[in-house]
């Protein structure tokens, strides 16, 4: 099957599961770009539940081809920035990085973003990994029986991502001036992810800018906490070979280059 036929077949399977979205689906044009946007939207709103083999085979084939089409970046080969040989900076789509684990800035439900085609990193990671990621997160949350606390870390497979694993962490939501608790919780996010990665013998981890987007942590202070916490961890830990700070905006790239210089 060609790409458009695969996309339409996946949409049909999802709409059969979720017929309440059929009226909205009819508003999408039949061209490839519109149908692909519909597929991402349906994947974003689908709750965690078991997946059929046929769907998984078609979804994985599509996502794998899209991953290779975007181009995979070898995180281990990124050059060091500044004086620390194990710190790197890379600007771009974190879902392109081939590393042991990428860090996802999750919310307390830990199931990914349910807003169709939202621009947050949670949505991007789940959309590129495939629906298996939400189902694994759902299993974690059903067993836990309560929202994920701020500052901890959870490890899942990466599925169709180039990264082997995803480290999920819930950052602090800043409301008003940044508090001491906000700072402590953000540092805990970085520390928890690194400690969990080390427990699983992971050697290359890429961090997004936790809490700086929808959670409103000021970019400069968040980066200072990130660099300080990671540097302190690397002083104690010798098994971690590289930590990458992944940025997407001009302001964050400038901040990190200055800090790492």
């Amino acid at each position: 099957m060609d790409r458009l036929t695969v996309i339409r077949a996946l949409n049909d399977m999802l709409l059969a599961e979720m017929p309440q979205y059929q009226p909205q689906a009819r508003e999408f044009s039949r061209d490839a770009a519109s149908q692909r946007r519909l597929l991402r939207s349906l994947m974003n709103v689908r709750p965690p539940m078991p997946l059929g083999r046929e769907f998984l085979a078609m979804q994985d084939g599509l996502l794998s081809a899209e991953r290779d089409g975007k181009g995979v970046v070898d995180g281990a080969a990124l050059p060091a920035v500044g004086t620390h040989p194990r710190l790197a900076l890379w600007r771009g789509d974190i879902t392109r990085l081939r590393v042991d684990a990428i860090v996802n800035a999750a919310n307390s439900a830990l199931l990914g973003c349910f807003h169709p085609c939202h621009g947050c990193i949670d949505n991007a990671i789940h959309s590129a990994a495939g629906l298996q990621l939400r189902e694994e997160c759902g299993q974690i949350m059903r067993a836990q029986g309560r929202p994920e606390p701020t500052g901890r870390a959870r490890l899942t497979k990466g599925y169709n991502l180039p990264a082997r694993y995803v480290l999920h962490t819930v950052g602090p939501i800043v409301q008003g001036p940044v508090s001491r608790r906000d700072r402590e919780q953000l540092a805990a996010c970085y520390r928890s992810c690194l400690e969990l990665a080390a427990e699983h013998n992971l050697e290359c981890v890429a961090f997004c800018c936790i809490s700086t987007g929808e959670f409103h942590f000021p970019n400069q202070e968040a980066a200072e906490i990130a660099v300080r916490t990671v540097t302190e961890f690397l002083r104690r830990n010798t098994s971690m070979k590289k930590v990458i700070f992944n940025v997407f905006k001009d302001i964050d790239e400038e901040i990190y280059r200055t800090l790492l210089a």
Side-chain angles (χ1 to χ4, degrees):
M1 288 189 288
D2 62 28
R3 182 172 181 270
L4 179 55
T5 302
V6 170
I7 292 170
R8 287 176 174 172
L10 290 169
N11 284 336
D12 288 342
M13 283 186 268
L14 291 176
L15 287 169
E17 288 184 328
M18 302 180 293
Q20 67 271 29
Y21 294 111
Q22 289 179 3
Q24 296 96 315
R26 286 193 286 269
E27 298 176 6
F28 285 76
S29 300
R30 300 293 288 174
D31 62 276
S34 298
Q35 288 297 299
R36 183 62 183 89
R37 185 172 180 83
L38 172 60
L39 176 58
R40 178 166 175 169
S41 299
L42 292 170
M43 291 172 66
N44 292 160
V45 298
R46 184 186 187 272
M49 53 187 177
L51 295 147
R53 289 184 180 179
E54 183 183 7
F55 179 90
L56 284 176
M58 295 177 71
Q59 175 210 246
D60 292 352
L62 176 69
L63 295 180
S64 296
E66 291 179 345
R67 174 194 66 211
D68 296 341
K70 287 191 297 185
V72 174
V73 176
D74 185 2
L78 293 175
V81 176
T83 59
H84 202 299
R86 292 189 284 166
L87 292 180
L89 175 66
W90 187 71
R91 179 179 176 180
D93 180 357
I94 199 170
T95 67
R96 293 178 58 200
L97 284 176
R98 182 192 295 118
V99 289
D100 289 326
I102 60 173
V103 173
N104 178 31
N107 57 51
S108 60
L110 211 73
L111 297 177
C113 173
F114 279 81
H115 297 284
C117 299
H118 192 251
C120 68
I121 195 166
D122 199 10
N123 191 299
I125 289 173
H126 274 262
S127 296
L131 285 174
Q132 302 98 311
L133 181 56
R134 176 166 287 172
E135 172 58 15
E136 184 177 355
C137 289
Q139 293 172 8
I140 291 171
M141 296 307 287
R142 287 192 291 271
Q144 180 168 289
R146 60 187 174 90
E148 180 70 6
T150 301
R152 294 201 328 190
R154 291 286 194 168
L155 185 73
T156 65
K157 296 177 183 177
Y159 298 101
N160 292 291
L161 294 163
R164 293 168 54 206
Y165 298 99
V166 179
L167 287 157
H168 306 262
T169 189
V170 181
I173 300 174
V174 175
Q175 298 173 326
V178 180
S179 67
R180 178 179 177 179
R181 180 173 176 79
D182 292 331
R183 299 183 183 99
E184 291 173 346
Q185 288 180 330
L186 184 60
C189 288
Y190 285 90
R191 195 178 306 113
S192 296
C193 287
L194 291 168
E195 289 172 351
L196 186 57
E199 287 176 19
H200 288 81
N201 300 312
L202 307 185
E203 298 180 344
C204 185
V205 173
F207 279 98
C208 62
C209 300
I210 301 168
S211 279
T212 58
E214 300 290 324
F215 288 7
H216 307 299
F217 209 110
N219 300 62
Q220 177 72 39
E221 189 168 6
E224 292 171 357
I225 291 169
V227 171
R228 181 169 62 249
T229 306
V230 170
T231 302
E232 289 173 354
F233 177 85
L234 292 179
R235 288 197 190 104
R236 306 189 309 271
N237 179 280
T238 57
S239 65
M240 187 74 63
K241 293 183 177 179
K242 181 164 289 184
V243 175
I244 302 163
F245 294 109
N246 169 248
V247 298
F248 202 72
K249 298 178 180 178
D250 290 340
I251 183 173
D252 292 314
E253 183 177 22
E254 182 178 346
I255 289 169
Y256 274 95
R257 286 203 181 278
T258 301
L259 291 173
L260 294 172

